[in-house]
Amino acid sequence: MEIKRDIYLNKLINKKHNGLIKVVTGIRRCGKSYLLFNLFKDHLLAEGVDKEHIIEIAFDSFENKRFRDPDVLYPYLKELIKDDGMYYVLLDEVQLLGEFESVLNSLIRMKNVDVYVTGSNARFLSKDVITEFRGRGDEVHMHPLSFAEFMSVYSGTKQDGWNEYMLYGGLPPIMNISSPEEKINFLKSLFEETYISDIVGRHNVRNRAELEEILNILSSAIGSLTNPTKLSAAFKSVKQKTISNTTIKRYIDYLCDSFLIDSAVRYDIKGKKYIGTPVKYYFTDLGLRNARLNFRQLEGTHAMENIIFNELKIRGFNVDVGVITLNKTNEKGHGIRKQLEIDFVCNKGSKRYYIQSAYAIPDQAKMEQEQRSLMLTGDFFKKIIITKDAPAPYYNDDGVLVMSVYDFLLNEGSLDN
């Protein structure tokens, strides 16, 4: 079963021969090794590259254990580079290589060597990985499967696929596990034994229980506006313990840094400025989020919003939460201030879209409620409402594009209809 990961493959292809170390990052088990050793290697062979000019080493393989010693690896690579043709060096789990920064920097100084690496230790599962390469790294960040990628190998209907995707997420190994019990056990053990252990090890977290409890609170409140003060209050009510705002912020930073969660900051559309807090948090993979909660809280509304957020990030958008402030006068003549929200303000280059996620729109009153904030932006950027089920995409009388979540997710150009 070959899953196409064209978004990431094309990024690697476009970065060929740019003189930098191509670093594929992303959470564990999202498909980094498969991208490098299968999809990209197949591309090189199809382009006519001699297989002897493709050097691949997986450092986590026992047979390659000796190559973790830089004094063994570097002479070996130099020996394989026999002519002036371009050589492609593909290295998996490169953090296992001693002094890997020095080795990689030496390789890219050779004019006929193009270097591609993946890694899975704490440093490579972190947003600051590129600093390791002192300006010589070029990151390709990989996400779990999008819904379109998931459906490309799923044999059932899109509705059944949606239910599976919303429940178990898009980590590629899930596609090879048949029983629900095995999927649940895989996700729970992966989260506990791998992801959290990575964070604890990287940041020397002394109170793992606190970190996990904050993670549980965030898991149960995806898509909700929150901040360290609110989380501190929630922690106190749940655990009857006090944890400082500073500690909570540090834990959240660790979770974002490890790619487990992502954030959307509020943006004042009229004032054209960012509002610091509160912030919305979303999970990179819904299956992992559900595993944290033992698959108990499965609300379709918030899950759909999380999936839409992830899709926008996969498509390369910067995503914020839109805020429109209304200043009104009440019946007593007192000034009142009200804030309306737009779920997503999406920017990429000169493009901007305003998007509302509305699980169901049963009547016109609900439609008017959902689009009220969209109508108050004061500009002419496209306004979109995404619902769980809708007819074919259409523009309503107010010029708002309405489409189903299936049309949005399964059509890469859906926002430009």
Side-chain angles (χ1 to χ4, degrees):
M1 179 176 62
E2 182 168 300
I3 303 172
K4 290 186 177 180
R5 310 301 304 271
D6 290 348
I7 294 171
Y8 312 105
L9 177 59
N10 290 335
K11 285 181 179 180
L12 282 184
I13 293 169
N14 291 335
K15 294 176 185 294
K16 280 197 302 185
H17 313 147
N18 67 0
L20 300 173
I21 302 159
K22 273 63 72 173
V23 185
V24 183
T25 64
I27 61 173
R28 286 189 194 270
R29 310 308 293 271
C30 71
K32 302 186 294 292
S33 303
Y34 179 75
L35 171 66
L36 207 56
F37 284 173
N38 293 75
L39 300 179
F40 186 62
K41 181 184 175 184
D42 287 349
H43 159 77
L44 294 175
L45 293 171
E47 289 283 298
V49 176
D50 188 319
K51 64 181 180 180
E52 292 191 359
H53 281 234
I54 303 173
I55 303 168
E56 53 182 309
I57 298 174
F59 290 105
D60 61 343
S61 171
F62 183 78
E63 64 190 17
N64 293 328
K65 187 177 178 181
R66 67 189 186 280
F67 292 129
R68 297 177 193 174
D69 181 345
D71 292 323
V72 173
L73 176 72
Y74 193 69
Y76 172 74
L77 293 177
K78 293 268 286 185
E79 192 177 307
L80 291 178
I81 300 169
K82 300 173 181 176
D83 54 47
D84 293 331
M86 181 60 71
Y87 283 79
Y88 299 86
V89 177
L90 317 181
L91 305 176
D92 192 33
E93 304 292 1
V94 76
Q95 79 281 350
L96 296 173
L97 166 63
E99 300 177 57
F100 69 83
E101 301 96 329
S102 299
V103 174
L104 298 179
N105 284 329
S106 296
L107 286 173
I108 63 168
R109 289 192 185 100
M110 302 180 194
K111 292 182 179 178
N112 63 329
V113 174
D114 206 14
V115 181
Y116 301 77
V117 305
T118 76
S120 289
N121 78 332
R123 277 191 291 181
F124 277 82
L125 299 169
S126 164
K127 289 180 179 176
D128 68 2
V129 63
I130 291 302
T131 61
E132 301 284 350
F133 300 104
R134 298 175 180 82
R136 294 192 178 95
D138 193 355
E139 183 180 16
V140 173
H141 182 62
M142 199 169 191
H143 296 260
L145 299 177
S146 69
F147 183 61
E149 290 170 331
F150 177 92
M151 287 304 298
S152 72
V153 293
Y154 183 77
S155 57
T157 66
K158 63 185 180 185
Q159 289 81 6
D160 288 341
W162 170 263
N163 291 333
E164 289 253 340
Y165 186 73
M166 191 170 65
L167 189 59
Y168 302 119
L171 291 176
I174 283 290
M175 306 302 291
N176 297 317
I177 302 174
S178 54
S179 80
E181 292 79 10
E182 288 179 46
K183 290 181 182 182
I184 288 169
N185 290 335
F186 168 77
L187 288 168
K188 289 174 74 172
S189 65
L190 190 65
F191 209 133
E192 194 69 30
E193 296 167 17
T194 303
Y195 296 124
I196 293 178
S197 295
D198 280 336
I199 294 168
V200 169
R202 171 176 169 75
H203 299 287
N204 297 314
V205 175
R206 289 193 293 271
N207 195 331
R208 178 172 174 147
E210 274 187 356
L211 172 68
E212 294 206 42
E213 195 57 50
I214 292 302
L215 189 50
N216 290 339
I217 293 171
L218 288 173
S219 300
S220 63
I222 52 171
S224 300
L225 288 167
T226 192
N227 58 27
T229 302
K230 283 187 176 182
L231 289 169
S232 179
F235 189 86
K236 192 167 186 178
S237 67
V238 171
K239 304 297 288 184
Q240 286 76 51
K241 290 183 180 178
T242 301
I243 178 170
S244 72
N245 293 2
T246 303
T247 301
I248 289 176
K249 184 181 183 307
R250 188 165 67 246
Y251 286 155
I252 291 174
D253 287 344
Y254 295 165
L255 296 169
C256 289
D257 186 61
S258 69
F259 307 125
L260 267 177
I261 64 173
D262 203 347
S263 63
V265 180
R266 293 197 301 163
Y267 178 73
D268 183 339
I269 293 170
K270 294 288 186 69
K272 294 182 170 52
K273 62 183 179 183
Y274 282 98
I275 306 167
T277 60
V279 174
K280 285 190 177 185
Y281 294 100
Y282 297 97
F283 270 73
T284 302
D285 183 80
L286 264 184
L288 291 172
R289 177 263 179 186
N290 294 335
R292 276 311 300 170
L293 299 174
N294 288 315
F295 294 83
R296 286 192 302 266
Q297 288 178 236
L298 305 172
E299 328 90 330
T301 304
H302 291 129
M304 187 176 96
E305 188 178 320
N306 200 136
I307 290 169
I308 291 171
F309 174 83
N310 287 343
E311 179 67 21
L312 292 167
K313 297 292 283 191
I314 289 169
R315 294 186 189 184
F317 286 97
N318 294 311
V319 185
D320 302 312
V321 178
V323 174
I324 294 176
T325 302
L326 299 178
N327 295 304
K328 290 188 170 185
T329 305
N330 64 17
E331 61 274 9
K332 295 183 179 179
H334 298 145
I336 56 172
R337 193 165 174 263
K338 186 176 182 181
Q339 289 187 331
L340 299 179
E341 186 180 290
I342 295 174
D343 289 329
F344 303 120
V345 180
C346 319
N347 295 289
K348 183 165 63 173
S350 61
K351 289 184 177 181
R352 171 179 286 187
Y353 302 98
Y354 298 116
I355 296 177
Q356 291 286 52
S357 171
Y359 193 77
I361 303 185
D363 51 39
Q364 185 58 30
K366 178 65 172 175
M367 176 67 80
E368 289 173 3
Q369 177 190 332
E370 290 293 341
Q371 71 178 37
R372 186 182 175 204
S373 56
L374 297 175
M375 296 293 97
L376 295 171
T377 61
D379 57 39
F380 298 99
F381 292 111
K382 185 178 282 190
K383 299 160 181 65
I384 301 165
I385 295 176
I386 299 173
T387 72
K388 172 60 169 57
D389 295 296
Y394 71 96
Y395 286 90
N396 68 16
D397 293 342
D398 295 299
V400 176
L401 176 60
V402 182
M403 70 174 74
S404 77
V405 72
Y406 303 116
D407 286 313
F408 167 64
L409 295 171
L410 296 175
N411 175 6
E412 192 178 343
S414 55
L415 299 182
D416 296 317
N417 284 340

